[in-house]
Amino acid sequence: MNIKQLLSEKVLAAMIAAGLPEDTNPAVSISNRANFGDYQANGVMGAAKKLKTNPRELASKVLEHLDLNGIADNIELAGPGFINIHLDKAWLAQQLTKISKDEYLGVSQRGSSANDKVQTVVVDYSAPNLAKEMHVGHLRSTIIGDAVVRALEFRGDKVIRQNHMGDWGTQFGMLLAHLSDKLQANEVAETALADLENFYREAKVRFDEEEGFADRARDYVVKLQGGDADCAKLWQQFIDISITHSEEIYQKLNVTLSRDDIMGESAYNPDLPVVIDELMTKGIAVEDQGAKVVFIDEMANKDGEPSVFIVQKSGGGYLYATTDLSACRYRTDKLNADRIVIFTDARQALHFKQVELVARKAGFLPENVGYDHCPFGMMMGDDGKPFKTRTGGTIKLAELLDEAIVRAKEVISEKNPDYDQETLNEISRKVGIGAVKFADLSKNRTSDYIFNWKTMLSFEGATAPYLQYAYSRIQSIFTKADFNRNDDGNIITIIEPQEKALALKLLQLEDVIDAVVSECTPNLLCNYLYELASLYMSFYEACPILKEGISSETKQSRLALCLLISKTLKQGLDVLGIDVMDRM
RNA sequence: GGACGCGUAGCUCAGCUGGAUAGAGUACCUGGCUACGAACCAGGCGGUCGCAGGUUCGACUCCUGCCGCGUCCGCCA
């Protein structure tokens, strides 16, 4: 169900009937003011400009052909040529009843029509560096990526998750050397690696200060890349333990990534020489100052100097450029991707632009395969300066999440002291984690953002707990009313303005989901759900359900409306990876 | 130096293909719990949308220039 689309079609038909060309944009949008109707069509003014005719006259001509019988109960012409559409309450009620019975709540599924085919979408997200522990900087990629993945799946696309973990590179030399020493001293790997951050620091200190250690570290890198069996075993141990750390975070965060989704940098290792070979053979890469580089003319500066993209170091080593090119090929050839979506911070924007250009030129990325790099801003400290990853000061993700849960527990026990420990823990987890995720997911900024405990852990205002609270309130009513939540047979009637506002909002879910998957912007869904919950809160105050004197029809209708609202909240929050509960 | 991103209420942020009087939350102020959960609701206060031009019926949105902040730009990822 997409009202905007439906109205667009109707208005366009009327415009064509009024003599306008078929490619006219009806420009239908949601009205931002109640007295301008529910939807408005603004396309007439643009069209009139092109034809150099009077917009007002043209609009009245379009109105003559506009047939919204049964859909709208009032259509009016306003201002210089706005067409304001007031939707019919009975029609809205019918649509609500229809989507109430639909398991996708009216969101049409890919593949249900010929021009809306199922796509295979490869989504590259999270990608922590296994040398270190996950910190708050990894939050965005992980949860935004996961929300987009869930939205794509809810819409019916085939999604292949790819966790492009940093499990390769020179830093592993010092880590393996350090680990080797620990094992020699009879330490158990799990214990030695219990605190990755600590372990990394120790290794780094030795690398910088201890005589001979740096050479051993470099030696380990050579052995690792050369496929030395003992070294590979050591590496595998390290990787396994580090992955376990990440999995704990994913589980706590309610993120859908699993071990099967891991496709680390190391996996592309065997393919890297092949990539270089192809680039050289095709004449795309050339040797320059001992390294192999691609000169990208498309990105030349004013003086005509091309952008330089190094694909192989002068010493023969490979870079992440090489790996990302290999990944392009793997994803199109082996995974049959129709679209590739990558979530990383904005600093890598230039890099991925270069990757795309080179990959397309080399044929690793066919014309019809989409390649979307979705950047986001860096995590900054309270001082407005970037977090430094190696000098303390970083907040471990695990610590943030635990803190959120503790704070949630304080609030919940204060408001509702009767819960037993188990229930309290369960609710605290859902509320605390939800608050952290929503705080981040609800922002669209591609610019940097300042990490702030207070906003991240807030439970008041436009936060996840507000939405969860709305849901719980509804469940509470169902319990009191002894209402069967599986009963979708009740008729919804719209009388009060709060009910109409809710109806409109509920019917806009597909529109929002579509925007989320095409633009990779879960914040739109956050806004939508907050508005829905907010409308519900107003409805709750204005439209009593269980009060004496409420007719049985009204009661049933309002309960049915509540049911659809709660389903939409639950489903929407699920797309964001946030849980709801009957009581909180 | 070049490229990219950002600049909206005290603070955190929305603002969809250009649309009518620029919106939320928070903070502050005023009201509201013997009807269903006050983690809430109703209302108030708060703006030269960085600056200056341009495009047009109309610009936070598009174009140009400038200012400020940030990031990236041949051997890290």
Side-chain angles (χ1 to χ4, degrees):
Chain A
M1 182 65 231
N2 194 324
I3 298 178
K4 192 161 130 184
Q5 207 176 315
L6 176 70
L7 293 178
S8 294
E9 285 162 14
K10 296 278 187 190
V11 174
L12 181 59
M15 291 172 111
I16 293 169
L20 289 167
E22 295 196 8
D23 61 348
T24 305
N25 180 5
V28 172
S29 64
I30 299 167
S31 300
N32 52 8
R33 225 169 286 277
N35 54 327
F36 296 153
D38 303 313
Y39 281 80
Q40 58 185 61
N42 307 332
V44 171
M45 291 173 285
K49 192 199 288 190
K50 275 186 194 159
L51 295 178
K52 295 182 176 163
T53 58
N54 182 307
R56 182 100 192 169
E57 281 172 21
L58 183 61
S60 70
K61 214 167 149 191
V62 170
L63 268 186
E64 283 171 26
H65 293 93
L66 185 56
D67 178 18
L68 292 175
N69 251 330
I71 299 176
D73 58 8
N74 185 17
I75 310 168
E76 55 200 9
L77 199 147
F82 296 102
I83 296 174
N84 293 338
I85 301 166
H86 300 256
L87 294 171
D88 182 56
K89 285 179 183 175
W91 181 79
L92 286 171
Q94 272 170 30
Q95 303 309 310
L96 285 187
T97 306
K98 201 188 286 178
I99 69 169
S100 293
K101 298 181 202 303
D102 177 19
E103 66 171 308
Y104 299 107
L105 304 168
V107 175
S108 63
Q109 295 294 292
R110 291 254 203 258
S112 59
S113 71
N115 53 3
D116 191 25
K117 290 194 182 120
V118 176
Q119 287 203 314
T120 298
V121 187
V122 169
V123 185
D124 174 342
Y125 68 107
S126 193
N129 181 353
L130 291 183
K132 289 178 246 168
E133 210 150 322
M134 287 181 78
H135 56 86
V136 285
H138 293 110
L139 192 60
R140 295 217 106 180
S141 178
T142 304
I143 65 179
I144 295 175
D146 204 52
V148 171
V149 158
R150 290 168 187 249
L152 284 162
E153 287 179 338
F154 180 53
R155 189 69 170 73
D157 274 323
K158 181 188 173 192
V159 175
I160 302 176
R161 296 161 175 76
Q162 291 279 282
N163 195 346
H164 195 87
M165 284 178 155
D167 60 359
W168 205 244
T170 49
Q171 59 200 335
F172 281 92
M174 70 178 191
L175 296 170
L176 295 186
H178 189 46
L179 179 60
S180 172
D181 291 348
K182 292 247 185 192
L183 295 182
Q184 287 291 316
N186 282 328
E187 263 198 66
V188 182
E190 278 78 3
T191 320
L193 296 172
D195 187 330
L196 276 179
E197 212 58 33
N198 221 354
F199 187 88
Y200 188 99
R201 254 196 304 276
E202 286 170 12
K204 184 81 169 77
V205 168
R206 292 184 69 188
F207 187 88
D208 290 340
E209 293 171 8
E210 188 178 315
E211 201 175 326
F213 186 83
D215 289 333
R216 283 182 56 214
R218 278 188 275 272
D219 195 38
Y220 264 100
V221 175
V222 175
K223 272 158 68 178
L224 181 64
Q225 294 186 340
D228 176 87
D230 287 336
C231 189
K233 203 175 150 193
L234 200 59
W235 172 79
Q236 193 63 54
Q237 257 183 302
F238 186 98
I239 295 303
D240 280 344
I241 293 169
S242 185
I243 288 175
T244 306
H245 284 303
S246 302
E247 282 185 312
E248 283 169 18
I249 300 276
Y250 292 152
Q251 201 181 0
K252 196 171 275 184
L253 258 182
N254 191 15
V255 160
T256 58
L257 283 168
S258 77
R259 222 165 248 256
D260 295 339
D261 305 317
I262 297 172
M263 186 68 188
E265 291 175 329
S266 62
Y268 297 99
N269 206 35
D271 188 49
L272 302 182
V274 187
V275 168
I276 299 299
D277 204 45
E278 274 202 41
L279 291 174
M280 294 300 283
T281 306
K282 288 178 178 165
I284 294 167
V286 294
E287 198 153 331
D288 190 79
Q289 297 173 30
K292 303 222 168 59
V293 307
V294 179
F295 291 109
I296 306 175
D297 294 324
E298 290 87 339
M299 295 172 65
N301 63 14
K302 277 181 193 162
D303 300 330
E305 294 165 353
S307 169
V308 179
F309 190 57
I310 302 179
V311 291
Q312 187 174 20
K313 294 196 272 189
S314 53
Y318 303 104
L319 305 97
Y320 80 138
T322 333
T323 311
D324 282 326
L325 286 172
S326 176
C328 282
R329 213 159 58 143
Y330 171 76
R331 290 163 185 179
T332 51
D333 291 355
K334 297 287 194 301
L335 301 181
N336 294 311
D338 294 308
R339 181 184 179 197
I340 298 167
V341 185
I342 300 165
F343 293 92
T344 78
D345 69 76
R347 284 177 298 187
Q348 301 186 40
L350 175 63
H351 165 73
F352 281 106
K353 199 172 177 185
Q354 291 175 321
V355 169
E356 182 182 0
L357 269 164
V358 174
R360 294 224 186 266
K361 212 182 279 192
F364 299 160
L365 204 57
E367 200 67 35
N368 59 350
V369 176
Y371 194 78
D372 299 327
H373 175 235
C374 302
F376 45 82
M378 290 184 359
M379 180 78 74
M380 313 292 266
D382 281 331
D383 54 359
K385 289 179 182 167
F387 269 134
K388 297 166 200 159
T389 47
R390 284 169 206 179
T391 56
T394 10
I395 297 169
K396 287 183 190 176
L397 202 39
E399 286 174 5
L400 171 69
L401 301 182
D402 288 341
E403 176 75 17
I405 294 168
V406 168
R407 294 207 192 187
K409 196 177 283 186
E410 284 168 12
V411 177
I412 294 159
S413 358
E414 185 192 325
K415 304 208 183 256
N416 217 333
D418 297 332
Y419 288 130
D420 59 73
Q421 271 306 314
E422 199 184 330
T423 311
L424 180 62
N425 287 339
E426 180 64 12
I427 295 172
S428 304
R429 192 186 63 75
K430 289 177 176 177
V431 171
I433 299 296
V436 169
K437 292 179 85 168
F438 193 87
D440 205 318
L441 284 169
S442 58
K443 289 174 182 59
N444 181 32
R445 314 201 100 222
T446 50
S447 60
D448 302 333
Y449 68 113
I450 293 168
F451 176 80
N452 185 295
W453 284 100
K454 203 178 159 205
T455 54
M456 196 61 102
L457 301 177
S458 172
F459 302 138
E460 284 176 2
T463 63
Y466 179 87
L467 308 189
Q468 292 167 321
Y469 181 59
Y471 180 86
S472 294
R473 268 182 146 183
I474 296 175
Q475 303 313 311
S476 183
I477 291 175
F478 290 160
T479 307
K480 284 235 163 70
D482 201 21
F483 176 73
N484 180 0
R485 289 163 223 206
N486 298 316
D487 183 4
D488 54 12
N490 286 302
I491 305 293
I492 299 175
T493 319
I494 297 168
I495 299 163
E496 301 298 328
Q498 288 86 355
E499 293 173 314
K500 185 178 176 186
L502 277 166
L504 282 164
K505 190 59 75 178
L506 287 165
L507 292 167
Q508 286 158 4
L509 181 62
E510 178 176 314
D511 214 3
V512 173
I513 295 289
D514 271 352
V516 170
V517 297
S518 65
E519 305 301 314
C520 301
T521 47
N523 69 303
L524 297 178
L525 182 57
C526 292
N527 293 346
Y528 170 83
L529 292 172
Y530 175 73
E531 283 161 8
L532 176 63
S534 180
L535 289 173
Y536 171 73
M537 295 291 194
S538 302
F539 161 81
Y540 183 94
E541 301 285 333
C543 306
I545 298 167
L546 306 178
K547 193 181 176 182
E548 294 277 328
I550 299 296
S551 75
S552 135
E553 290 79 21
T554 301
K555 182 177 166 187
Q556 290 306 314
S557 164
R558 287 180 179 164
L559 283 171
L561 184 59
C562 283
L563 182 60
L564 182 56
I565 295 164
S566 76
K567 280 183 186 171
T568 306
L569 284 173
K570 185 186 166 93
Q571 178 63 61
L573 284 169
D574 186 65
V575 167
L576 298 176
I578 296 172
D579 290 326
V580 293
M581 56 239 114
D582 287 357
R583 293 183 306 154
M584 65 184 278

